[in-house]
Amino acid sequence: YTLEIPWGQSAEKGESMAVKIIGTGSALPKKVVSNEEMAGLVETSDQWIRERTGIGSRHISTGETVVSLAVEACEKALAHGDRKASEVQLILVATCTPEKGIPCAACQVQSLLGAAEAVAFDLNAACAGFLFALHTAHAYIEAGIYDNALVVGSEVLSKVVDWTDRGTCVLFGDGAGAVLLERSGQPGILGFVQHSDGTKGGVLQCDGRKLENPFVSLPVGNPFLSMDGREVFAFALRQVPACIWEALSQAKLSPEDVDLYVLHQANRRIIEGIAGRMNLEAARFPMNLERTGNMSSASIPVLLDELVREGRLQEGMTLVLSGFGAGLTYGACVLKWQRSLDFSGEIGIVKESVRGDRGAGKKVQAAGWGGTGIILSMRCW
Ligand code: COA
C-alpha cells in the first residue's frame, strides 16, 4: 500500500502544515511626517514621542488609499514570488480603515490587479488583522480549497486619527504589506493561535456611521480613534508572551529556537517588555516603528518585507509573527522561512527617470543585489 496524504494536510497538528510564503511586498505613502512636525500640530515633542514610543516619523497619506497601497504591495509580492495576478485564487485584505463600506477593499484590489480568478474579501481584526488573515488563508490552502493566496494588511489610519489628540495622533502611520502564500511540500507554518476578548473592546475604538433612516436618527458617536493607552499597554505585555508560548508549544519549540520575532509595531517599550518577559535579547525583535509608527494590520507584513529585502531572512530560519490590538484581538504564528530572495524577478516599475521620462513606466529587473541592498545591475525594458 502507499498512503497518500493530500497536499497540505498534516499527519499530526503542528507537524506539517504545508503552506509557505513565496513573495512579499510593501508600499508606504510618499509623505513622511517627523515628530518635529507633529509638535507643530499638538503639544508634544520629539523627545516625549521617542522616549515613550520609539517612533521618530511616520508615512501619512496625501492621496494614497487602502486600495492603492494594497495594490502596490500585492504587485511587488507577485513579482517577488514570480507569479501572475491571473494565477491568484484568493485575496484577503485585512483592514479597519477601508475607503468604501461597499464593495470591500479586496474586490477593488482584485479588479485593479486583474486577478480575475480570485475570490476576494476583507477581514477586520484591527492590528491582529494580518495575522488572522494569514491563518484564514492558511486554513483554506491546507483544506485543499485554494492553492495560493495574497494576504494583505493595508491601512490609512490618518483618516480615523483625531489630529487634536496628542495621546493618539503621534502613534499611527499609513501603509500596506502583502505576502503571497502557496501550498508547499515542506512544513511552513508550524503552529498558530488566535484569541479575541470582546469584553475589553472599549479600550481602543472608533465609531462607524450613525444609524439614520426614516424611522430613527441616533446621535453620532465618535468617528475618531479613542484609546486607553495604559490598558492597551498592559494587555499587550500580559497576553502577547502567553500566546507566543502557546504557538511555540504547538510547534514543539522553545523561545530560544526562534531566530526572529516579527511583532506588531505598536511601541518600542511594548516590544522590549515582551522580549524581557520571555528572557530574550531585544536583538531578536526587529523593529521599523521608528520610521513607520503603528500601521495596524500593515505593520507585520511591511516589516517582514523589509527584512526580506534587507537580506535578513535566510532559508530555514524560524520566525514568530505576533499581532495584537483593538477588539481586543491577538495571536501568534510560528513559521519556517522557506524562501530566500534571489532578486532575479521583476521588482517594480520605474516611476521617474534621471534622464527625463525615458525610463518612466518601464519594468525593472535586478540582476544582482548586495547584502546591503544596493542594486548592482538593472535591466529595463
Ligand atoms: N506628548 C506629550 N505628552 C503626552 C503625549 C504626547 N504626545 N501624550 C500623552 N501625554 C501626556 C499625558 O497627557 C500625561 O500627562 P499628565 O500626566 O499631565 O496627565 C502624560 O503624558 C503621561 O501619560 P500616560 O498615558 O501615562 O503616558 P504613558 O507612559 O502611558 O504613554 C502611551 C502613553 C500612549 C505612549 C502608552 O500608554 C502606550 O503606548 N500605550 C499603548 C498604545 C498602543 O500601542 N495602542 C495601539 C495598540 S495596537
Side-chain angles (χ1 to χ4, degrees):
Y1 286 98
T2 51
L3 178 66
E4 283 207 63
I5 300 175
W7 275 111
Q9 286 198 7
S10 48
E12 186 190 328
K13 190 164 169 54
E15 200 176 70
S16 177
M17 297 182 182
V19 173
K20 67 175 176 178
I21 293 171
I22 64 159
T24 64
S26 61
L28 298 173
K30 282 189 287 299
K31 184 167 179 59
V32 177
V33 179
S34 66
N35 287 346
E36 286 79 8
E37 281 178 81
M38 294 301 298
L41 300 173
V42 288
E43 200 182 330
T44 189
S45 65
D46 177 53
Q47 190 188 354
W48 192 96
I49 303 171
R50 280 185 191 275
E51 279 177 11
R52 302 291 179 109
T53 71
I55 296 166
S57 60
R58 68 287 290 145
H59 291 253
I60 298 294
S61 168
T62 52
E64 295 91 345
T65 63
V66 163
V67 170
S68 71
L69 292 167
V71 167
E72 189 181 334
C74 285
E75 282 173 343
K76 289 176 181 168
L78 285 169
H80 179 201
D82 199 18
R83 297 286 182 275
K84 296 185 188 69
S86 56
E87 296 173 80
V88 176
Q89 296 181 4
L90 175 67
I91 299 173
L92 294 185
V93 175
T95 184
C96 54
T97 54
E99 280 78 43
K100 292 177 190 277
I102 301 167
C104 66
C107 281
Q108 297 170 70
V109 170
Q110 180 218 18
S111 161
L112 290 166
L113 283 178
E117 300 303 317
V119 167
F121 59 92
D122 289 0
L123 188 154
N124 177 1
C127 302
F130 172 78
L131 204 77
F132 282 23
L134 186 71
H135 295 164
T136 305
H138 168 265
Y140 270 113
I141 294 173
E142 194 185 33
I145 297 169
Y146 301 116
D147 296 326
N148 61 42
L150 271 171
V151 181
V152 192
S154 185
E155 305 287 1
V156 177
L157 289 155
S158 58
K159 68 188 170 212
V160 297
V161 157
D162 178 352
W163 287 89
T164 64
D165 174 17
R166 67 177 182 173
T168 52
C169 72
V170 300
L171 303 176
F172 299 99
D174 302 332
V179 299
L180 179 60
L181 281 186
E182 201 169 81
R183 189 171 294 160
S184 151
Q186 290 162 9
I189 292 180
L190 307 176
F192 66 82
V193 295
Q194 48 195 24
H195 296 285
S196 305
D197 181 1
T199 64
K200 308 259 170 42
V203 302
L204 181 48
Q205 61 180 338
C206 172
D207 286 328
R209 290 165 69 102
K210 74 169 194 163
L211 176 61
E212 188 167 32
N213 62 35
F215 316 103
V216 71
S217 177
L218 295 182
V220 196
N222 179 3
F224 298 109
L225 266 183
S226 62
M227 177 181 75
D228 181 338
R230 286 184 185 182
E231 270 296 319
V232 177
F233 201 101
F235 142 74
L237 284 189
R238 198 173 50 245
Q239 300 295 10
V240 176
C243 81
I244 292 176
W245 277 108
E246 206 184 329
L248 283 172
S249 72
Q250 218 181 75
K252 301 185 179 75
L253 294 172
S254 71
E256 289 74 27
D257 296 325
V258 176
D259 295 291
L260 290 176
Y261 288 82
V262 182
L263 265 50
H264 172 51
Q265 300 288 294
N267 183 314
R268 193 193 63 227
R269 288 191 298 145
I270 292 178
I271 295 173
E272 288 174 351
I274 292 166
R277 286 185 181 214
M278 297 188 70
N279 287 324
L280 293 167
E281 65 276 27
R284 289 196 206 206
F285 293 69
M287 293 183 222
N288 64 358
L289 58 86
E290 201 273 333
R291 291 176 287 106
T292 62
N294 176 346
M295 298 182 292
S296 190
S297 71
S299 280
I300 292 176
V302 169
L303 178 56
L304 199 59
D305 182 52
E306 289 178 1
L307 293 170
V308 166
R309 284 165 204 276
E310 286 163 13
R312 290 179 65 188
L313 299 190
Q314 304 304 325
E315 198 130 1
M317 272 183 152
T318 303
L319 308 185
V320 162
L321 314 184
S322 179
F324 50 92
L328 297 171
T329 53
Y330 50 105
C333 148
V334 185
L335 61 91
K336 269 265 179 265
W337 190 254
Q338 291 187 16
R339 187 178 197 312
S340 52
L341 190 63
D342 54 17
F343 298 106
S344 59
E346 175 197 313
I347 59 160
I349 310 280
V350 177
K351 291 226 169 89
E352 289 171 62
S353 163
V354 284
R355 293 181 299 163
D357 62 357
R358 282 176 60 193
K362 296 201 168 155
K363 289 178 181 170
V364 182
Q365 186 173 38
W369 197 308
T372 53
I374 297 163
I375 296 173
L376 300 176
S377 65
M378 233 185 195
R379 191 158 70 83
C380 293
W381 68 94

